[in-house]
Amino acid sequence: VIQRGGVVMTISLRLNPKDEKLIKTYASMKHMSVSEVVRRAVIEQIEDEFDIREYFEAKAEFDKDPVTFTLEEVEKELGFR
């Protein structure tokens, strides 16, 4: 499927009737399409997982060299003071 010069991906999703009703009801309550609800949920999940991975990488780096700076030190270093 081509739309405005870009490729649009279509995904089929199998749902039991209970989940289908839940998603359709939620979409209606939010004045969104089912596609938008699912797209946002998937993107949010991916972003959350990336954020968690970044946190653990930063935490491991900090644990190796636990140096901290006060707000005043940072402001001075950046020339704000």
Side-chain angles (χ1 to χ4, degrees):
V1 177
I2 304 292
Q3 182 177 345
R4 293 188 187 135
V7 177
V8 176
M9 183 173 157
T10 301
I11 298 174
S12 294
L13 185 63
R14 290 186 178 94
L15 299 169
N16 63 47
K18 182 180 174 183
D19 290 345
E20 178 185 5
K21 182 178 179 181
L22 176 66
I23 292 170
K24 284 182 174 181
T25 300
Y26 181 82
S28 177
M29 288 171 31
K30 295 293 186 176
H31 306 286
M32 297 166 53
S33 68
V34 169
S35 292
E36 183 65 12
V37 167
V38 172
R39 187 191 71 75
R40 286 185 182 192
V42 170
I43 297 299
E44 185 67 30
Q45 179 68 32
I46 293 168
E47 289 174 348
D48 287 351
E49 289 187 27
F50 283 156
D51 290 345
I52 290 168
R53 183 176 52 184
E54 290 291 319
Y55 163 78
F56 283 115
E57 289 174 2
K59 178 75 167 96
E61 186 177 324
F62 174 77
D63 288 344
K64 288 179 188 174
D65 186 21
V67 176
T68 61
F69 301 94
T70 66
L71 177 58
E72 290 79 17
E73 290 171 324
V74 173
E75 288 175 338
K76 184 176 180 182
E77 179 70 23
L78 295 175
F80 296 140
R81 285 186 174 231

